[in-house]
């Protein structure tokens, strides 16, 4: 018993000793620290780190965007038409009759209706009222492959539109939309027009939405048809029948030509800019050399920060961004298989990429932006020797989401005075020694 | 079966980190502050690790182990609470830590004498320091902080033997191998405003592993009923510090000086004894090997203590002890010779006895002291707890 008590006491002593909170002595005396390392910012011109810039287009299709675009004489004479298909208008409705009983009524009397186009006010460029026209076309078309000139552009089968831009149309109606009145452009239909729009005899019937006002580019989020009808079982009421859109895409002309000396990212289909990165193995920066022996070997531990410094360029007006641009940068695994090489995961810390204001590519062009690539540069300097493959030396600059907008971002290319720069923040010091 | 709780407690203690926790900013000087791996009884008596009555497991007094009649394990823990005040600053900073300066076992054998195996701290090299800096980059100044951490120290694994020579004397000899390591790391952290891209910290530093050997010989002689005297001498090979393969810093070799210790105890009256001890070493040979700072040259440590061995608490024997000690520290951090002086008190508790044998004992010491040089002043409370278990 005595032994047990004693052992318990000993245990308490042990625990008491171990439980003492450790607080290490921290001095602020300079003599307690090794020589102060030096931190400098180095900006390497393109010729010292970059090469083989190539810009590839064609990633994604207009129908993957899930949005429509209408434009007329916008920017460099951009023309864009939104094409869609609508559901059939319901021919019956469940209504409460005069006795209060719910019943399906198939004898509906059409009174009129409307087509509503919902406009993305942020992603659209229009200063005043915009005249819009919506019409029907009967030509067979293929939404995933349709272009300005071709209704069908699938493998081995090309079929041009009767008129470029999905024309001609019939049963066309017009309206005027103005941003200040909301996001809906409403095309009123009388009963005869509703009957025409509800005609289901043509299985290929398509709908085309165009802008008649020049100098505008609208982004269309949705289009639907609403029909007002009077049920026979209760003539005092009106029911609204809705035909939603099934597919929506857009066709446009002219396409943006491939750039000569420019980095480009985004658009629909999307552009990607691909280039090789070679980080120098040593540096002789004067400020560094004043503190350490030069040339200084550049190691991963010495790189605190690395970023691509790009200078924005005014994007060709037809495709100038009107909304925030989200850009991403990813390693390219196999350059030889471009443009189809798989990409690595994003080098950025946020899933939405790096966000840049649209003005940077219009009114505030020629601004400097940075895209951090610290871990990528570090991996080039200290490759993971256990990895099966060497680290990729090629980067792709692209839109975070592809496609997300018809607009794309432009940056000055390597042959310009504002060529991309590799910014490095480097810290170096003498080795830490024993005292 | 009733012995199991002892082992549980001892295993728990043995499992605690042997590396010393930082107890002084003066650890930054040279090889650090000597850890003085002595037990709580020696601490309470102001001892320098030699010349006390009775059995002891001390690196500095190998002959003292001859008094162990039963296999014995001794473990010592040492918490400290320290206030630091630089001479040019009014601000007092406080830190605390616990270290385990020694643990060992003594095993009496019929032929060899008492064989000892111990593990002890030699130099404490743990400390941290920081300085604020401003880095000028293209877009403007950026604040940063340099953090420096030195973590580790020099330890020893020691094997010794002590045996009687005639009726009044005993000798002891021990061989030790230096071990331990130190990690010295400088980290520059950049202060980046929220929302901006992170800047990775800069890190530099390395790991050095210590090696080397030392040999200690000691004698212990009774002087009739008046008391006894003891002396020991420690010789060391060079202390080699070898960097790890990924360490940029260089290897270094340090000369550890010959260390002489003498001490003794005089019995003033039954149950009352006076002990005193002195150590001396010349550290000047290490001067050319230090990349930063110097040694103080010759160091002297001395201490005196008084023990009332017949005191008791709650009917149990509980010797009371008082002492004073003053020591020169071997390395200069700033200016002047750093010294440590302490007033100490303590007691021993015999927790379990079996006839004349103490099966379990606990020694406690509490020291109030100062460490200072021309620039820095540390005042501290230091506790020492030694647990001794025999006959397991």
């Amino acid at each position: 018993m005595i032994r047990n008590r004693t052992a318990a006491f000993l245990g308490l002593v042990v625990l008491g000793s171990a439980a003492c909170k450790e607080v290490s002595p921290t001095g602020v005396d300079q003599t307690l620290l090794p020589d102060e390392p030096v931190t400098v910012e180095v900006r390497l011109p393109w010729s010292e780190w970059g090469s083989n810039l190539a810009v590839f287009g064609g990633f994604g299709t207009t129908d993957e965007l899930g949005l429509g675009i209408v434009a007329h004489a916008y920017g460099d004479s951009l023309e864009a038409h939104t094409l869609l298909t609508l559901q059939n208008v319901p021919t019956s409705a469940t209504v409460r009759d005069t006795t209060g009983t719910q019943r399906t009524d198939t004898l509906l009397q059409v009174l009129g209706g409307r087509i509503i186009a919902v406009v993305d006010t942020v992603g659209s460029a229009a200063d005043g009222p915009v005249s819009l026209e919506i019409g029907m076309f009967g030509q067979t078309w293929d939404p995933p492959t349709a272009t300005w000139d071709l209704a069908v552009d699938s493998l081995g089968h090309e079929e041009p539109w009767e008129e470029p831009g999905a024309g001609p149309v019939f049963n066309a109606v017009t309206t005027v939309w103005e941003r200040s009145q909301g996001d809906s452009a409403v095309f009123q239909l009388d009963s005869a027009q509703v009957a025409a729009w509800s005609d289901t005899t043509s299985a290929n019937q398509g709908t085309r939405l165009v802008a008649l006002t020049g100098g505008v580019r609208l982004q269309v989020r949705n289009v639907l048809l609403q029909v007002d009808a009077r049920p026979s079982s209760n003539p005092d009421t009106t029911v609204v029948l809705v035909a939603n859109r099934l597919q929506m895409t857009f066709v446009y002309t002219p396409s943006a030509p491939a750039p000569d000396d420019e980095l480009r990212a985004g658009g629909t289909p999307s552009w990607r800019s691909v280039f090789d990165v070679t980080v120098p193995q040593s540096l002789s920066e004067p400020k560094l050399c004043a503190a350490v022996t030069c040339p200084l070997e550049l190691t991963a531990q010495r790189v605190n920060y690395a970023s691509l410094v790009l200078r924005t360029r005014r994007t060709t007006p037809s495709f100038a961004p009107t909304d925030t641009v989200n850009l991403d940068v990813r390693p390219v695994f196999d350059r030889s298989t471009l443009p189809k090489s798989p990409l690595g995961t994003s080098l950025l810390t946020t899933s939405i990429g790096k966000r840049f204001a649209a003005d940077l590519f219009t009114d505030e062009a020629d601004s400097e932006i940075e895209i951090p690539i610290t871990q990528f540069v570090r991996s080039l300097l200290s490759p993971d020797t256990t990895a099966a493959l060497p680290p990729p030396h090629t980067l792709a600059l692209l839109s975070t989401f592809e496609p997300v907008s018809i607009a794309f971002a432009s940056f000055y290319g390597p042959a310009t005075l504002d060529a991309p720069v590799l910014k490095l923040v480097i810290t170096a010091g003498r080795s830490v020694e024993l005292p | 079966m009733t012995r199991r709780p002892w082992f549980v407690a001892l295993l728990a203690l043995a499992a605690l980190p042997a590396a010393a926790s930082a107890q002084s900013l003066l650890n930054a000087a040279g090889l650090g502050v000597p850890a003085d791996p002595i037990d709580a009884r020696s601490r309470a008596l102001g001892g320098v690790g030699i010349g006390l009555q009775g059995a002891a497991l001390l690196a500095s007094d190998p002959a003292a182990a001859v008094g162990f009649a039963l296999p014995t394990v001794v473990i010592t823990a040492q918490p400290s609470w320290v206030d630091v005040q630089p001479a040019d600053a009014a601000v007092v900073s406080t830190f605390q830590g616990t270290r385990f300066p020694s643990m060992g076992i003594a095993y009496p054998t019929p032929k060899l004498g008492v064989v000892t195996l111990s593990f002890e701290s030699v130099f404490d090299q743990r400390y941290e320091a920081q300085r604020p800096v401003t880095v000028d980059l293209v877009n403007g100044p950026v604040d940063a902080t340099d953090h420096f951490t030195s973590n580790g120290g020099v330890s020893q694994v020691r094997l010794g033997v002590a045996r009687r020579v005639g009726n009044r004397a005993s000798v002891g000899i021990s061989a030790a191998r230096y071990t331990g390591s130190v990690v010295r790391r400088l980290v520059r952290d950049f202060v980046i405003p929220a929302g901006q891209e992170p800047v990775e910290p800069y890190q530099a530093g390395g790991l050095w592993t210590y090696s080397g050997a030392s040999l200690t010989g000691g004698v212990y002689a009774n002087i009739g009923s008046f008391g006894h005297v003891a002396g020991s001498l420690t010789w060391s090979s060079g202390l080699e510090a070898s960097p790890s393969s990924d360490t940029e810093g260089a290897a270094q070799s340090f000369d550890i000086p010959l260390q002489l210790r003498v001490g003794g105890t005089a019995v003033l009256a039954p149950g009352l004894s006076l002990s005193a001890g002195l150590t001396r070493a010349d550290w000047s040979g290490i001067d050319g090997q230090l990349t930063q700072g110097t040694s103080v040259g010759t160091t002297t440590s001395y201490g005196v203590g008084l023990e009332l061995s017949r005191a008791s608490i709650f009917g149990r024997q509980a010797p009371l002890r008082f002492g004073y000690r003053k020591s020169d520290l071997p390395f200069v951090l700033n200016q002047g010779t750093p010294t440590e002086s302490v007033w100490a008190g303590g007691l021993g508790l015999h927790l379990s006895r079996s006839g004349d044998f103490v099966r379990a004992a606990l020694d406690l010491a509490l020291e109030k002291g100062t460490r200072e040089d021309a620039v820095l002043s540390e005042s501290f409370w230091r506790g020492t707890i030694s647990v001794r278990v025999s006959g397991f």
Side-chain angles (χ1 to χ4, degrees):
Chain A
M1 192 63 183
I2 290 173
R3 279 183 175 168
N4 283 341
R5 267 192 224 149
T6 311
F9 178 70
L10 268 180
L12 285 174
V13 170
V14 169
L15 287 174
S17 301
C20 289
K21 185 183 176 189
E22 301 290 332
V23 181
S24 291
T26 301
V28 293
D29 191 327
Q30 294 290 313
T31 62
L32 300 176
L33 288 96
D35 291 342
E36 189 175 329
V38 60
T39 299
V40 299
E41 180 179 318
V42 179
R43 290 182 167 232
L44 300 177
W46 172 267
S47 59
E48 293 185 21
W49 64 272
S51 60
N52 298 327
L53 171 67
V55 181
F56 297 94
F59 295 94
T61 58
T62 51
D63 78 312
E64 290 174 358
L65 188 58
L67 297 171
I69 302 288
V70 293
H72 178 48
Y74 179 75
D76 302 330
S77 67
L78 176 70
E79 300 292 336
H81 296 170
T82 292
L83 310 181
L84 60 131
T85 55
L86 290 168
Q87 290 176 326
N88 292 329
V89 177
T91 56
S92 63
T94 300
V95 294
R96 197 181 300 274
D97 63 16
T98 51
T99 64
T101 305
Q102 292 270 14
R103 52 184 288 191
T104 301
D105 193 332
T106 57
L107 299 174
L108 300 171
Q109 180 188 356
V110 174
L111 303 175
R114 68 206 64 82
I115 297 171
I116 301 174
V118 182
V119 178
D120 178 355
T121 55
V122 176
S124 299
D127 293 332
V130 179
S131 293
L132 297 169
E133 179 197 81
I134 194 162
M136 304 165 69
F137 60 87
Q139 187 174 349
T140 300
W141 68 300
D142 180 34
T145 63
T147 64
W148 184 263
D149 295 312
L150 299 174
V152 179
D153 188 14
S154 57
L155 190 63
H157 177 53
E158 288 186 358
E159 186 175 322
W161 295 107
E162 291 176 33
E163 287 178 8
V169 295
F170 53 91
N171 294 329
V173 289
T174 60
T175 191
V176 174
W177 173 81
E178 198 162 358
R179 190 191 300 264
S180 61
Q181 294 176 358
D183 63 358
S184 296
V186 181
F187 300 85
Q188 295 294 347
L189 305 176
D190 58 27
S191 57
Q193 288 170 314
V194 169
W197 279 87
S198 305
D199 181 9
T200 59
T201 54
S202 172
N204 300 316
Q205 182 171 292
T207 300
R208 187 188 79 174
L209 176 66
V210 301
L212 303 177
T213 304
V216 301
R217 192 183 75 197
L218 306 187
Q219 198 155 288
V220 181
R221 297 214 314 259
N222 197 15
V223 176
L224 54 89
L225 170 62
Q226 291 180 345
V227 175
D228 300 329
R230 180 179 297 154
S232 61
S233 55
N234 192 347
D236 292 336
T237 63
T238 301
V239 295
V240 178
L241 308 170
V242 178
N244 286 306
R245 59 124 168 152
L246 290 173
Q247 291 171 300
M248 184 159 69
T249 184
F250 62 95
V251 294
Y252 65 89
T253 192
S255 297
D260 285 336
D261 189 20
E262 177 181 293
L263 282 79
R264 184 180 287 180
T268 305
S270 292
W271 298 92
R272 294 178 183 176
S273 298
V274 177
F275 48 92
D276 293 339
V277 177
T278 306
V279 183
Q281 296 300 304
S282 62
L283 291 174
S284 294
E285 178 75 12
K287 197 172 175 185
L288 274 177
C289 298
V292 297
T293 305
C294 278
L296 176 74
E297 184 190 1
L298 197 54
T299 62
Q301 291 84 358
R302 288 175 173 148
V303 176
N304 309 115
Y305 177 76
S307 66
L308 292 172
V309 179
L310 307 174
R311 191 166 289 278
T312 61
R313 187 172 191 170
R314 186 177 287 273
T315 296
T316 179
S318 299
F319 301 96
T322 55
D323 198 357
T324 306
V325 175
N326 292 39
L327 295 181
D328 197 0
V329 62
R330 297 181 175 206
V332 177
F333 284 133
D334 184 1
R335 177 157 191 146
S336 65
T337 61
L338 283 171
K340 295 187 176 178
S341 168
L343 302 182
T345 54
S346 172
L347 299 180
L348 305 181
T349 53
T350 60
S351 58
I352 59 169
K354 184 92 173 167
R355 295 164 63 89
F356 300 104
D359 289 349
L360 291 169
F361 306 95
T362 54
D363 297 340
E364 295 177 13
D366 296 328
S367 299
E368 212 174 69
I369 62 117
E370 281 188 35
I371 301 177
I373 54 169
T374 307
Q375 296 309 324
F376 176 76
V377 169
R378 284 185 152 199
S379 72
L380 292 181
L381 292 168
S382 293
D384 180 3
T385 53
T386 61
L389 296 171
H393 284 249
T394 305
L395 283 184
L397 175 70
L398 67 161
S399 173
T400 306
F401 310 103
E402 286 182 333
V404 73
S405 165
I406 193 173
F408 54 79
S410 302
F411 304 93
Y412 285 98
T416 66
L417 292 175
D418 296 308
V421 168
L422 180 63
K423 173 179 166 180
L424 301 174
V425 175
I426 295 167
T427 302
R430 293 191 174 87
S431 59
V432 174
E433 302 286 352
L434 287 175
Chain B
M1 290 298 284
T2 54
R3 292 174 181 172
R4 185 165 294 170
W6 289 108
F7 286 105
V8 172
L10 289 170
L11 282 173
L13 192 50
L16 293 170
S21 291
Q23 303 205 347
S24 174
L25 265 183
L26 293 167
N27 287 346
L31 291 176
V33 169
D36 284 336
I38 57 179
D39 59 16
R41 181 173 174 239
S42 294
R43 287 281 179 198
L45 287 169
V48 293
I50 196 164
L52 302 185
Q53 263 187 321
L57 186 53
L58 296 168
S60 50
D61 191 2
V66 80
F68 287 111
L70 295 173
T72 302
V73 170
V74 181
I75 299 173
T76 299
Q78 195 169 69
S80 286
W81 297 264
V82 186
D83 290 336
V84 185
Q85 181 163 27
D88 58 349
V91 179
V92 175
S93 63
T94 301
F95 57 86
Q96 63 194 66
T98 302
R99 64 184 180 187
F100 296 85
S102 69
M103 55 184 73
I105 183 168
Y107 198 89
T109 64
K111 291 184 179 176
L112 278 177
V114 178
V115 177
T116 60
L117 177 66
S118 58
F119 180 65
E120 62 234 12
S121 298
V122 180
F123 289 107
D124 186 355
Q125 298 178 331
R126 279 190 58 175
Y127 76 98
E128 295 176 14
Q130 63 184 42
R131 69 179 158 221
V133 294
T134 300
V135 178
D136 286 323
L137 301 180
V138 172
N139 293 334
V142 172
D143 289 334
T145 304
D146 286 347
H147 301 273
F148 181 72
T149 307
S150 173
N151 193 355
V154 184
S155 307
Q156 277 187 332
V157 178
R158 181 179 300 277
L159 183 64
V161 61
R163 62 184 302 162
R164 295 190 186 282
V165 180
N167 292 329
R168 293 189 169 186
S170 59
V171 296
I173 187 166
S174 65
R177 178 172 177 76
Y178 286 113
T179 180
S181 61
V182 63
V183 175
R184 293 168 64 82
R185 186 164 300 284
L186 176 67
V187 177
R188 171 167 287 181
D189 272 325
F190 297 89
V191 183
I192 303 300
Q196 292 192 14
E197 293 298 332
V199 175
E200 300 291 328
Y202 165 76
Q203 296 191 39
L207 164 70
W208 287 262
T209 304
Y210 292 110
S211 61
S214 74
L215 211 57
T216 300
V219 295
Y220 175 106
N222 286 319
I223 311 170
S225 58
F226 298 109
H228 72 269
V229 293
S232 74
L233 199 62
T234 298
W235 168 88
S236 286
S237 69
L239 175 64
E240 307 296 334
S242 305
S244 61
S245 59
D246 56 349
T247 297
E248 283 187 43
Q252 287 199 54
S253 179
F254 304 98
D255 286 342
I256 305 297
L258 200 65
Q259 295 176 67
L260 172 69
R261 303 177 194 86
V262 292
T265 298
V267 178
L268 304 179
L272 178 65
S273 59
L274 176 71
S275 59
L278 180 140
T279 70
R280 197 168 171 81
D282 181 5
W283 291 87
S284 57
I286 206 171
D287 279 345
Q289 297 149 358
L290 296 175
T291 58
Q292 186 181 348
T294 61
S295 79
V296 299
T298 300
T299 59
T300 303
S301 297
Y302 64 88
V304 293
L306 205 60
E307 183 173 42
L308 292 91
S309 56
R310 291 187 177 176
S312 64
I313 295 176
F314 302 125
R316 287 176 180 267
Q317 192 174 350
L320 289 177
R321 298 151 187 155
F322 305 95
Y324 173 79
R325 170 177 156 156
K326 184 164 187 178
S327 305
D328 295 335
L329 301 180
F331 303 108
V332 177
L333 176 63
N334 299 295
Q335 299 161 22
T337 301
T339 58
E340 175 182 291
S341 57
V342 295
W343 290 96
L347 77 165
L349 293 170
H350 292 177
L351 302 176
S352 174
R353 297 183 72 100
S354 177
D356 290 337
F357 296 105
V358 176
R359 304 291 295 269
L362 185 67
D363 291 305
L364 304 171
L366 185 62
E367 298 168 277
K368 175 75 176 86
T370 58
R371 271 185 300 264
E372 57 192 359
D373 62 12
V375 175
L376 195 70
S377 174
E378 295 179 340
S379 79
F380 61 87
W381 287 93
R382 180 167 61 202
T384 305
I385 307 161
S386 290
V387 179
R388 190 171 59 187
V389 182
S390 301
F392 46 86

